[in-house]
Amino acid sequence: DAGITQSPRHKVTETGTPVTLRCHQTENHRYMYWYRQDPGHGLRLIHYSYGVKDTDKGEVSDGYSVSRSKTEDFLLTLESATSSQTSVYFCAIRRGLAGGHTGELFFGEGSRLTVL
Amino acid sequence: KNEVEQSPQNLTAQEGEFITINCSYSVGISALHWLQQHPGGGIVSLFMLSSGKKKHGRLIATINIQEKHSSLHITASHPRDSAVYICAVKGAQKLVFGQGTRLTINP
């Protein structure tokens, strides 16, 4: 499972409050991703990172920010949560092709966020 | 039009049947992934392929780069195969996901 853990796994919060989701990996993979999954939309990319302090926006980045100050942690922050951000959030890593790795994807178990 | 289209969206079959799920894409890709998601569960990578065919147990994945099409086959299907199967293609930097195929195998 590439040692990916997400926290918290479940959170209920109120509109306007800040929320931070954490993705932690134990294998020093370079590429990390945050997705949201909603009915009828499949997985949509919010932000991704290709190294420490190197991040870029995905297709649904409005209202979200990320930080990656060390290889193992990729944080997703909702500065002021809205009800439209109620979703299940998945973190993923992609193994590179060096060292015999295959470029496979590994996902965290998901964080279910409800914004009331 | 979505860059990645899966068909069918929903599939119900009886235990033991041969299952095929299709994925068509419209962009140039370097790799294609098949993922499995059980109800309420996490997402597991089944295959990553860039050409030809791969087999793992009862699962077989094929890809035709010229036709921009991939198929996932399940032989001797079982109720535990019931899940959502997701196709994802990797372009220059990012992955693009299909909306998934919900498979239900009845005993």
Side-chain angles (χ1 to χ4, degrees), chain A residues 31 33 35 37 40-45 48 50 59 90 94 97 102-105 107-109, chain B residues 33 35 37 40-48 54 86 88 90 93-95 97-100:
Chain A
Y31 288 91
Y33 306 84
Y35 294 95
Q37 186 179 43
H41 288 280
L43 285 157
R44 292 183 291 172
L45 180 65
Y48 66 100
Y50 43 96
E59 60 187 304
F90 286 95
R94 181 168 63 86
L97 297 176
T102 60
E104 282 180 280
L105 291 170
F107 287 81
E109 294 186 348
Chain B
H33 298 259
L35 310 169
Q37 185 175 27
I43 301 170
V44 175
S45 175
L46 298 174
F47 295 103
M48 191 198 79
K54 286 190 176 180
I86 303 168
K90 183 179 178 303
Q93 269 282 23
K94 62 173 186 161
L95 288 162
F97 292 82
Q99 292 198 14

Short mmCIF file of all heavy atoms in Angstrom, two decimals, chain A residues 31 33 35 37 40-45 48 50 59 90 94 97 102-105 107-109, chain B residues 33 35 37 40-48 54 86 88 90 93-95 97-100:
data_model
loop_
_atom_site.label_atom_id
_atom_site.label_comp_id
_atom_site.label_asym_id
_atom_site.label_seq_id
_atom_site.Cartn_x
_atom_site.Cartn_y
_atom_site.Cartn_z
N TYR A 31 5.93 12.14 -6.38
CA TYR A 31 4.64 12.65 -6.83
C TYR A 31 3.54 12.31 -5.83
O TYR A 31 3.34 11.15 -5.50
CB TYR A 31 4.28 12.07 -8.20
CG TYR A 31 5.09 12.63 -9.33
CD1 TYR A 31 6.27 12.01 -9.73
CD2 TYR A 31 4.68 13.78 -10.01
CE1 TYR A 31 7.04 12.53 -10.77
CE2 TYR A 31 5.44 14.30 -11.04
CZ TYR A 31 6.61 13.67 -11.42
OH TYR A 31 7.36 14.19 -12.43
N TYR A 33 -0.71 13.48 -4.87
CA TYR A 33 -1.91 14.09 -5.47
C TYR A 33 -3.03 14.16 -4.44
O TYR A 33 -3.15 13.31 -3.57
CB TYR A 33 -2.41 13.23 -6.64
CG TYR A 33 -1.38 12.92 -7.70
CD1 TYR A 33 -0.48 11.86 -7.56
CD2 TYR A 33 -1.32 13.68 -8.87
CE1 TYR A 33 0.46 11.58 -8.54
CE2 TYR A 33 -0.39 13.40 -9.86
CZ TYR A 33 0.50 12.35 -9.69
OH TYR A 33 1.42 12.07 -10.66
N TYR A 35 -7.21 14.35 -4.62
CA TYR A 35 -8.41 14.26 -5.46
C TYR A 35 -9.64 14.40 -4.57
O TYR A 35 -9.62 14.09 -3.39
CB TYR A 35 -8.49 12.90 -6.15
CG TYR A 35 -7.41 12.63 -7.15
CD1 TYR A 35 -6.26 11.93 -6.78
CD2 TYR A 35 -7.53 13.05 -8.47
CE1 TYR A 35 -5.25 11.67 -7.70
CE2 TYR A 35 -6.53 12.79 -9.39
CZ TYR A 35 -5.39 12.11 -9.00
OH TYR A 35 -4.41 11.86 -9.91
N GLN A 37 -13.78 13.07 -4.73
CA GLN A 37 -14.65 12.13 -5.44
C GLN A 37 -16.09 12.45 -5.07
O GLN A 37 -16.46 12.43 -3.89
CB GLN A 37 -14.32 10.68 -5.07
CG GLN A 37 -15.11 9.66 -5.90
CD GLN A 37 -14.77 8.24 -5.54
OE1 GLN A 37 -14.63 7.89 -4.37
NE2 GLN A 37 -14.61 7.38 -6.57
N GLY A 40 -21.29 11.14 -9.75
CA GLY A 40 -21.47 11.71 -11.09
C GLY A 40 -20.25 12.39 -11.66
O GLY A 40 -20.27 12.82 -12.82
N HIS A 41 -19.19 12.52 -10.86
CA HIS A 41 -17.99 13.21 -11.36
C HIS A 41 -16.74 12.36 -11.37
O HIS A 41 -15.76 12.72 -11.97
CB HIS A 41 -17.72 14.46 -10.51
CG HIS A 41 -18.68 15.56 -10.74
ND1 HIS A 41 -18.60 16.43 -11.81
CD2 HIS A 41 -19.77 15.95 -10.04
CE1 HIS A 41 -19.58 17.30 -11.75
NE2 HIS A 41 -20.30 17.05 -10.69
N GLY A 42 -16.74 11.26 -10.70
CA GLY A 42 -15.52 10.49 -10.62
C GLY A 42 -14.47 11.23 -9.81
O GLY A 42 -14.76 12.15 -9.06
N LEU A 43 -13.24 10.87 -9.99
CA LEU A 43 -12.13 11.50 -9.27
C LEU A 43 -11.66 12.74 -10.03
O LEU A 43 -11.38 12.69 -11.21
CB LEU A 43 -10.97 10.52 -9.14
CG LEU A 43 -11.18 9.41 -8.11
CD1 LEU A 43 -10.30 8.22 -8.44
CD2 LEU A 43 -10.85 9.93 -6.72
N ARG A 44 -11.55 13.83 -9.30
CA ARG A 44 -11.08 15.08 -9.91
C ARG A 44 -9.87 15.60 -9.14
O ARG A 44 -9.88 15.64 -7.92
CB ARG A 44 -12.20 16.12 -9.92
CG ARG A 44 -13.34 15.76 -10.85
CD ARG A 44 -14.40 16.85 -10.89
NE ARG A 44 -15.12 16.94 -9.63
CZ ARG A 44 -16.00 17.90 -9.34
NH1 ARG A 44 -16.27 18.83 -10.23
NH2 ARG A 44 -16.62 17.90 -8.18
N LEU A 45 -8.89 16.03 -9.89
CA LEU A 45 -7.62 16.46 -9.31
C LEU A 45 -7.76 17.87 -8.74
O LEU A 45 -8.17 18.81 -9.43
CB LEU A 45 -6.53 16.43 -10.37
CG LEU A 45 -5.13 16.84 -9.92
CD1 LEU A 45 -4.58 15.86 -8.87
CD2 LEU A 45 -4.20 16.91 -11.11
N TYR A 48 -1.53 18.89 -7.08
CA TYR A 48 -0.54 17.82 -7.01
C TYR A 48 0.84 18.41 -6.69
O TYR A 48 1.04 19.64 -6.77
CB TYR A 48 -0.50 16.99 -8.29
CG TYR A 48 -0.03 17.72 -9.52
CD1 TYR A 48 1.28 17.59 -9.98
CD2 TYR A 48 -0.91 18.52 -10.25
CE1 TYR A 48 1.70 18.24 -11.12
CE2 TYR A 48 -0.50 19.18 -11.40
CZ TYR A 48 0.81 19.03 -11.83
OH TYR A 48 1.22 19.68 -12.96
N TYR A 50 5.17 17.63 -7.14
CA TYR A 50 6.22 16.83 -7.76
C TYR A 50 7.53 16.98 -7.02
O TYR A 50 8.60 16.70 -7.56
CB TYR A 50 6.37 17.17 -9.24
CG TYR A 50 6.32 18.65 -9.55
CD1 TYR A 50 7.48 19.40 -9.68
CD2 TYR A 50 5.10 19.29 -9.74
CE1 TYR A 50 7.43 20.75 -9.97
CE2 TYR A 50 5.04 20.65 -10.03
CZ TYR A 50 6.21 21.37 -10.13
OH TYR A 50 6.16 22.71 -10.42
N GLU A 59 -7.66 20.49 -11.76
CA GLU A 59 -8.84 21.01 -12.44
C GLU A 59 -9.86 21.67 -11.51
O GLU A 59 -10.71 22.44 -11.99
CB GLU A 59 -9.50 19.89 -13.24
CG GLU A 59 -9.94 18.71 -12.40
CD GLU A 59 -10.45 17.55 -13.23
OE1 GLU A 59 -11.38 17.77 -14.03
OE2 GLU A 59 -9.91 16.44 -13.07
N PHE A 90 -9.28 11.95 -1.54
CA PHE A 90 -8.28 10.90 -1.63
C PHE A 90 -6.92 11.50 -1.94
O PHE A 90 -6.77 12.35 -2.83
CB PHE A 90 -8.63 9.90 -2.73
CG PHE A 90 -9.75 8.97 -2.39
CD1 PHE A 90 -11.05 9.26 -2.78
CD2 PHE A 90 -9.50 7.81 -1.68
CE1 PHE A 90 -12.09 8.40 -2.47
CE2 PHE A 90 -10.55 6.94 -1.36
CZ PHE A 90 -11.84 7.24 -1.75
N ARG A 94 2.36 8.34 -6.76
CA ARG A 94 2.73 7.59 -7.95
C ARG A 94 4.19 7.21 -7.84
O ARG A 94 5.04 8.07 -7.64
CB ARG A 94 2.49 8.39 -9.23
CG ARG A 94 2.84 7.64 -10.49
CD ARG A 94 2.30 8.36 -11.73
NE ARG A 94 2.88 9.66 -11.92
CZ ARG A 94 4.02 9.90 -12.56
NH1 ARG A 94 4.74 8.89 -13.03
NH2 ARG A 94 4.47 11.14 -12.70
N LEU A 97 9.50 5.65 -12.21
CA LEU A 97 9.94 4.52 -13.01
C LEU A 97 11.37 4.10 -12.68
O LEU A 97 11.85 3.09 -13.16
CB LEU A 97 9.83 4.86 -14.50
CG LEU A 97 8.41 5.12 -14.98
CD1 LEU A 97 8.39 5.53 -16.43
CD2 LEU A 97 7.53 3.91 -14.78
N THR A 102 7.16 0.69 -11.24
CA THR A 102 6.34 0.61 -12.44
C THR A 102 5.48 1.84 -12.70
O THR A 102 4.72 1.85 -13.64
CB THR A 102 5.41 -0.61 -12.34
OG1 THR A 102 4.59 -0.43 -11.18
CG2 THR A 102 6.21 -1.89 -12.22
N GLY A 103 5.57 2.85 -11.87
CA GLY A 103 4.69 4.00 -12.06
C GLY A 103 3.29 3.78 -11.54
O GLY A 103 2.38 4.53 -11.86
N GLU A 104 3.12 2.76 -10.72
CA GLU A 104 1.79 2.46 -10.18
C GLU A 104 1.30 3.56 -9.26
O GLU A 104 2.07 4.29 -8.66
CB GLU A 104 1.84 1.17 -9.37
CG GLU A 104 1.87 -0.10 -10.16
CD GLU A 104 1.92 -1.29 -9.21
OE1 GLU A 104 3.01 -1.59 -8.72
OE2 GLU A 104 0.87 -1.88 -8.97
N LEU A 105 -0.01 3.59 -9.14
CA LEU A 105 -0.68 4.51 -8.23
C LEU A 105 -1.06 3.80 -6.95
O LEU A 105 -1.48 2.65 -6.97
CB LEU A 105 -1.97 5.03 -8.86
CG LEU A 105 -1.85 5.95 -10.05
CD1 LEU A 105 -3.22 6.13 -10.66
CD2 LEU A 105 -1.28 7.29 -9.64
N PHE A 107 -3.39 4.73 -3.40
CA PHE A 107 -4.31 5.69 -2.81
C PHE A 107 -4.39 5.51 -1.31
O PHE A 107 -4.30 4.37 -0.80
CB PHE A 107 -5.71 5.51 -3.40
CG PHE A 107 -5.83 6.00 -4.82
CD1 PHE A 107 -5.43 5.22 -5.87
CD2 PHE A 107 -6.37 7.26 -5.08
CE1 PHE A 107 -5.53 5.68 -7.18
CE2 PHE A 107 -6.49 7.72 -6.39
CZ PHE A 107 -6.07 6.93 -7.43
N GLY A 108 -4.60 6.61 -0.62
CA GLY A 108 -4.97 6.54 0.78
C GLY A 108 -6.40 6.06 0.91
O GLY A 108 -7.11 5.88 -0.09
N GLU A 109 -6.86 5.87 2.14
CA GLU A 109 -8.17 5.30 2.36
C GLU A 109 -9.30 6.32 2.26
O GLU A 109 -10.46 5.97 2.36
CB GLU A 109 -8.21 4.59 3.72
CG GLU A 109 -7.30 3.36 3.74
CD GLU A 109 -7.45 2.57 5.01
OE1 GLU A 109 -8.07 3.08 5.97
OE2 GLU A 109 -6.94 1.45 5.07
N HIS B 33 -4.28 3.14 -16.34
CA HIS B 33 -4.46 2.42 -15.08
C HIS B 33 -5.88 1.90 -14.98
O HIS B 33 -6.84 2.57 -15.39
CB HIS B 33 -4.24 3.37 -13.89
CG HIS B 33 -2.87 3.95 -13.81
ND1 HIS B 33 -1.91 3.47 -12.94
CD2 HIS B 33 -2.29 4.99 -14.47
CE1 HIS B 33 -0.81 4.19 -13.07
NE2 HIS B 33 -1.01 5.11 -14.00
N LEU B 35 -8.36 0.69 -11.87
CA LEU B 35 -8.48 0.76 -10.43
C LEU B 35 -9.77 0.09 -9.99
O LEU B 35 -10.74 0.02 -10.76
CB LEU B 35 -8.50 2.22 -9.97
CG LEU B 35 -7.39 3.12 -10.52
CD1 LEU B 35 -7.70 4.58 -10.21
CD2 LEU B 35 -6.05 2.73 -9.94
N GLN B 37 -12.65 -0.01 -6.72
CA GLN B 37 -13.11 0.61 -5.49
C GLN B 37 -14.34 -0.14 -4.99
O GLN B 37 -15.38 -0.14 -5.63
CB GLN B 37 -13.45 2.09 -5.72
CG GLN B 37 -13.83 2.82 -4.44
CD GLN B 37 -14.05 4.30 -4.66
OE1 GLN B 37 -14.41 4.74 -5.75
NE2 GLN B 37 -13.81 5.09 -3.62
N GLY B 40 -17.81 1.97 -0.15
CA GLY B 40 -17.33 2.56 1.09
C GLY B 40 -15.85 2.36 1.34
O GLY B 40 -15.35 2.65 2.43
N GLY B 41 -15.16 1.84 0.35
CA GLY B 41 -13.77 1.47 0.55
C GLY B 41 -12.80 2.34 -0.18
O GLY B 41 -13.16 3.27 -0.90
N GLY B 42 -11.55 1.99 0.00
CA GLY B 42 -10.49 2.71 -0.66
C GLY B 42 -10.36 2.27 -2.11
O GLY B 42 -11.12 1.46 -2.63
N ILE B 43 -9.36 2.83 -2.76
CA ILE B 43 -9.12 2.57 -4.19
C ILE B 43 -7.83 1.78 -4.31
O ILE B 43 -6.80 2.16 -3.75
CB ILE B 43 -9.01 3.90 -4.95
CG1 ILE B 43 -10.30 4.72 -4.77
CG2 ILE B 43 -8.73 3.65 -6.42
CD1 ILE B 43 -10.20 6.14 -5.28
N VAL B 44 -7.92 0.71 -5.09
CA VAL B 44 -6.78 -0.18 -5.25
C VAL B 44 -6.39 -0.22 -6.73
O VAL B 44 -7.26 -0.32 -7.60
CB VAL B 44 -7.13 -1.60 -4.77
CG1 VAL B 44 -6.00 -2.56 -5.05
CG2 VAL B 44 -7.45 -1.59 -3.29
N SER B 45 -5.10 -0.15 -6.98
CA SER B 45 -4.63 -0.25 -8.35
C SER B 45 -4.59 -1.71 -8.78
O SER B 45 -4.03 -2.56 -8.08
CB SER B 45 -3.22 0.36 -8.44
OG SER B 45 -2.68 0.18 -9.73
N LEU B 46 -5.23 -2.00 -9.91
CA LEU B 46 -5.22 -3.36 -10.44
C LEU B 46 -4.11 -3.55 -11.47
O LEU B 46 -3.37 -4.53 -11.44
CB LEU B 46 -6.57 -3.67 -11.11
CG LEU B 46 -7.80 -3.65 -10.20
CD1 LEU B 46 -9.06 -3.85 -11.03
CD2 LEU B 46 -7.70 -4.71 -9.11
N PHE B 47 -4.06 -2.63 -12.42
CA PHE B 47 -3.08 -2.73 -13.50
C PHE B 47 -2.60 -1.35 -13.90
O PHE B 47 -3.34 -0.38 -13.82
CB PHE B 47 -3.69 -3.35 -14.77
CG PHE B 47 -4.12 -4.78 -14.64
CD1 PHE B 47 -5.47 -5.09 -14.50
CD2 PHE B 47 -3.20 -5.81 -14.67
CE1 PHE B 47 -5.89 -6.41 -14.38
CE2 PHE B 47 -3.61 -7.13 -14.56
CZ PHE B 47 -4.95 -7.42 -14.42
N MET B 48 -1.35 -1.31 -14.37
CA MET B 48 -0.87 -0.17 -15.13
C MET B 48 -0.26 -0.75 -16.40
O MET B 48 0.57 -1.65 -16.32
CB MET B 48 0.17 0.63 -14.39
CG MET B 48 0.48 1.95 -15.06
SD MET B 48 2.02 2.69 -14.53
CE MET B 48 3.19 1.73 -15.46
N LYS B 54 -1.98 -7.58 -19.78
CA LYS B 54 -1.47 -8.05 -18.49
C LYS B 54 -2.54 -8.91 -17.84
O LYS B 54 -3.73 -8.70 -18.01
CB LYS B 54 -1.12 -6.87 -17.58
CG LYS B 54 0.16 -6.16 -17.97
CD LYS B 54 0.58 -5.17 -16.90
CE LYS B 54 1.92 -4.54 -17.25
NZ LYS B 54 2.35 -3.56 -16.22
N ILE B 86 -12.48 1.67 -12.29
CA ILE B 86 -12.17 3.00 -12.81
C ILE B 86 -10.97 2.90 -13.74
O ILE B 86 -9.95 2.29 -13.41
CB ILE B 86 -11.84 3.98 -11.66
CG1 ILE B 86 -13.01 4.04 -10.68
CG2 ILE B 86 -11.51 5.36 -12.20
CD1 ILE B 86 -12.66 4.75 -9.37
N ALA B 88 -8.08 5.12 -15.73
CA ALA B 88 -7.41 6.42 -15.66
C ALA B 88 -6.26 6.43 -16.66
O ALA B 88 -5.53 5.45 -16.76
CB ALA B 88 -6.90 6.69 -14.26
N LYS B 90 -2.81 8.47 -18.16
CA LYS B 90 -1.79 9.44 -17.78
C LYS B 90 -1.31 10.18 -19.02
O LYS B 90 -0.76 9.58 -19.94
CB LYS B 90 -0.61 8.77 -17.10
CG LYS B 90 0.42 9.79 -16.64
CD LYS B 90 1.58 9.16 -15.94
CE LYS B 90 2.57 10.25 -15.56
NZ LYS B 90 3.05 11.04 -16.71
N GLN B 93 1.41 15.22 -17.58
CA GLN B 93 1.70 15.38 -16.16
C GLN B 93 0.66 14.74 -15.28
O GLN B 93 0.95 14.22 -14.23
CB GLN B 93 1.78 16.87 -15.80
CG GLN B 93 3.16 17.47 -15.91
CD GLN B 93 4.07 17.14 -14.74
OE1 GLN B 93 3.87 16.15 -14.05
NE2 GLN B 93 5.05 17.97 -14.51
N LYS B 94 -0.59 14.84 -15.70
CA LYS B 94 -1.65 14.46 -14.78
C LYS B 94 -2.43 13.26 -15.29
O LYS B 94 -2.34 12.87 -16.44
CB LYS B 94 -2.59 15.63 -14.57
CG LYS B 94 -3.30 16.08 -15.82
CD LYS B 94 -4.35 17.14 -15.55
CE LYS B 94 -5.12 17.44 -16.83
NZ LYS B 94 -6.39 18.09 -16.57
N LEU B 95 -3.20 12.73 -14.36
CA LEU B 95 -4.10 11.61 -14.69
C LEU B 95 -5.49 12.14 -14.98
O LEU B 95 -5.94 13.10 -14.35
CB LEU B 95 -4.19 10.66 -13.51
CG LEU B 95 -2.97 9.82 -13.22
CD1 LEU B 95 -3.05 9.28 -11.80
CD2 LEU B 95 -2.86 8.68 -14.20
N PHE B 97 -9.42 10.66 -15.17
CA PHE B 97 -10.17 9.49 -14.74
C PHE B 97 -11.48 9.37 -15.50
O PHE B 97 -12.14 10.37 -15.77
CB PHE B 97 -10.48 9.58 -13.24
CG PHE B 97 -9.28 9.45 -12.37
CD1 PHE B 97 -8.46 10.54 -12.14
CD2 PHE B 97 -8.96 8.24 -11.79
CE1 PHE B 97 -7.34 10.43 -11.33
CE2 PHE B 97 -7.85 8.11 -10.98
CZ PHE B 97 -7.03 9.20 -10.76
N GLY B 98 -11.87 8.13 -15.78
CA GLY B 98 -13.23 7.88 -16.22
C GLY B 98 -14.16 7.92 -15.02
O GLY B 98 -13.72 7.99 -13.87
N GLN B 99 -15.45 7.90 -15.28
CA GLN B 99 -16.41 8.00 -14.19
C GLN B 99 -16.68 6.68 -13.50
O GLN B 99 -17.40 6.63 -12.50
CB GLN B 99 -17.72 8.62 -14.70
CG GLN B 99 -17.54 10.07 -15.08
CD GLN B 99 -18.86 10.81 -15.16
OE1 GLN B 99 -19.89 10.33 -14.70
NE2 GLN B 99 -18.85 12.00 -15.74
N GLY B 100 -16.12 5.61 -14.03
CA GLY B 100 -16.26 4.33 -13.36
C GLY B 100 -17.37 3.48 -13.91
O GLY B 100 -18.35 3.98 -14.47
#
